Amino acid sequence: MDYSTLTLLISLSQLLSVGTAAPLSVEVGKMKIKVKWMAEQLVAKLNNFQVPAGWTLSQPADDVDGLSSIVVILDGYNSLISDSLNGVSQVKSEISSLGGYLQQWKKGHCNEQRPKPLVSGPLQELQSRKEYIHTVGIEAVMRVKEFLTLLLKNLEQLKTC
């Protein structure tokens, strides 16, 4: 291959990548807007959840580290929220919807499938105490609210597969 052919191929490659970047960035923008709206709705509902007086979270929030970790953390906390807690069925359904939406987005837009992230931090701690279903459920509600608030401040992480 001669130099002029190589230069032409590089130029075409750059042109194609520039031409396809805009539609993808529009899709990413739409996805971020939808996730922001869903997360804000969930946080508003979780703000109405009654937590016992004086209950605080000791460890810092889970890290927002791309789509894979977001889906794992949402699913993990959702599985720990007890159905016996008053008024959580709608919240659990909406957490599932958000996680499902992100999972579908990931399947359709992420070429490389990263291995499922390991659970660590506060989620791992709660999963080790499942036998205390009521206590764990309340903390899971508080943790998912904390995580969604952090996600809203870090929506750029949604671009990372």
Side-chain angles (χ1 to χ4, degrees):
M1 184 178 308
D2 66 343
Y3 179 75
S4 62
T5 305
L6 183 59
T7 305
L8 178 62
L9 286 175
I10 291 171
S11 296
L12 282 173
S13 172
Q14 289 172 340
L15 179 63
L16 289 173
S17 66
V18 169
T20 58
L24 182 59
S25 66
V26 169
E27 285 183 47
V28 169
K30 286 180 182 178
M31 179 265 293
K32 285 170 49 178
I33 289 168
K34 183 170 182 167
V35 168
K36 181 178 186 236
W37 180 81
M38 293 172 84
E40 286 172 341
Q41 297 299 311
L42 271 164
V43 169
K45 287 180 178 154
L46 291 166
N47 280 335
N48 295 327
F49 185 77
Q50 297 298 314
V51 176
W55 198 307
T56 59
L57 299 173
S58 57
Q59 295 181 355
D62 294 276
D63 291 331
V64 179
D65 188 25
L67 282 171
S68 296
S69 75
I70 294 167
V71 170
V72 166
I73 290 169
L74 288 174
D75 289 348
Y77 283 128
N78 204 26
S79 71
L80 294 172
I81 298 172
S82 171
D83 291 326
S84 67
L85 294 175
N86 208 10
V88 295
S89 59
Q90 181 63 35
V91 168
K92 286 186 69 159
S93 175
E94 290 181 30
I95 293 169
S96 288
S97 293
L98 176 56
Y101 175 74
L102 291 172
Q103 183 66 30
Q104 285 304 111
W105 171 266
K106 190 175 86 156
K107 284 181 183 174
H109 295 86
C110 294
N111 295 334
E112 64 180 65
Q113 294 300 319
R114 289 174 36 181
K116 189 175 180 178
L118 297 174
V119 174
S120 62
L123 178 55
Q124 181 183 29
E125 170 69 23
L126 276 182
Q127 288 177 333
S128 71
R129 297 185 289 145
K130 285 183 185 177
E131 67 272 15
Y132 306 107
I133 191 164
H134 192 70
T135 304
V136 167
I138 292 170
E139 187 167 337
V141 167
M142 294 172 66
R143 289 283 179 191
V144 80
K145 177 182 153 191
E146 177 185 52
F147 182 74
L148 289 169
T149 302
L150 190 59
L151 174 61
L152 286 167
K153 293 176 184 173
N154 293 284
L155 290 171
E156 289 303 310
Q157 287 293 322
L158 294 169
K159 294 193 296 188
T160 306
C161 290

